[in-house]
Amino acid sequence: MLSYRHAFHAGNFADVLKHLVQVEILTYLQKKEKPFDYIDTHAGAGLYRLQSAMAAKNSEYRNGIGRLLQSTPDVATLQTYLEQIWSHNPDERLRVYPGSPAIARSMLRPQDKAWLYELHPSDVVELRRTCSGPNVHIRQEDGFRALMGLLPTQSRRACILIDPPYEMKQDYQRVIDALKLIYRRMPSATVALWYPVVERARIEQLERQITTSGIRNVVQFELGIAPDSDGPGMTSAGMIVINPPWMLLGDMQELLPGLASVLGEEGEDFYECRTLVTE
């Protein structure tokens, strides 16, 4: 149950997509002075050293953030995300990749709060070392269950990132249950759900469950580096966003074609931007 470690995959193409969307949402929430809460249900370790034994085992970052930095599409949407990468690599040599809690931690204002949940004991220790702060709450808890007691937040504004490893098949149903809970408790929250494409049929079922759930205002982005396959491994990854910032769909429509051509294998790049459920 606790075997998954994100350090093996830090900085890969799926992280690039996930963190681009995360940065866009947080940037939008900052446009108002009112505070907001950032909730990360599966926070991981926070920061990842790319030369560590786990990250270096498959060096997935080389075909993700590494390739992007070598050939950056000239798109303004990328700039805030890249600033986050370089803020953790001040000598402009890629040694560290910031995970979602580290990105959120650096973008929080004094009036905002972060709630970071992680079950793996080693990752919690590292998370506390890298992401602690006066307005950051780190818990060794099941992030799905924590939502029940946390919502609605006092601020009434929230970005909730859900990105379980999907090691257990129950996670696909648990994310649907979490989305319904959030929408019932805090219907105005912006929710970003990450998913891997390992079995396309599971993603199609996930999409159907969302479209028939009664949840409104949902967009979907997907980035692929290889065709769907019956073999092992992730060929694409996606983000489903509830209550997206108004400019997010347009920004991703501008960005993803270039991003797919840079990160995908030659002739195998794939992307999708669409409205899954209207307002």
Side-chain angles (χ1 to χ4, degrees), residues 26-50:
L26 294 179
T27 300
Y28 176 77
L29 288 173
Q30 289 176 336
K31 292 183 182 298
K32 292 184 179 180
E33 286 298 317
K34 294 180 180 179
F36 66 85
D37 289 79
Y38 171 79
I39 303 168
D40 202 323
T41 62
H42 297 76
L47 283 176
Y48 301 95
R49 294 180 296 277
L50 297 178

Side-chain angles (χ1 to χ4, degrees), residues 231-245:
M234 177 175 60
T235 56
S236 300
M239 295 291 286
I240 292 173
V241 183
I242 300 170
N243 295 322

Side-chain angles (χ1 to χ4, degrees), residues 169-215:
K169 301 305 182 186
Q170 302 96 302
D171 280 349
Y172 289 92
Q173 184 58 48
R174 293 193 81 191
V175 298
I176 293 295
D177 294 341
L179 295 181
K180 290 179 178 178
L181 171 70
I182 295 166
Y183 200 68
R184 186 169 66 250
R185 291 281 185 93
M186 197 172 176
S188 62
T190 296
V191 187
L193 170 66
W194 177 85
Y195 64 85
V197 180
V198 179
E199 299 175 60
R200 177 60 70 178
R202 287 193 178 276
I203 304 309
E204 291 172 345
Q205 182 182 20
L206 183 70
E207 293 166 358
R208 286 194 297 271
Q209 287 181 282
I210 291 173
T211 57
T212 59
S213 67
I215 297 172

Side-chain angles (χ1 to χ4, degrees), residues 3-4 14 23 26 82 104 133 143-144 146 148 160 162-163 191 193 204 231 240 256 265:
S3 61
Y4 178 85
V23 167
L26 294 179
L82 295 180
F144 285 128
M148 181 83 66
I160 304 171
I162 303 174
D163 63 333
V191 187
L193 170 66
E204 291 172 345
I240 292 173
L256 279 184
E265 300 300 325

Side-chain angles (χ1 to χ4, degrees), residues 93-114:
R93 296 182 63 185
L94 184 62
R95 294 190 178 96
V96 174
Y97 187 81
S100 52
I103 290 173
R105 171 71 179 85
S106 66
M107 294 184 71
L108 290 183
R109 304 164 301 177
Q111 65 267 41
D112 304 323
K113 294 179 182 178

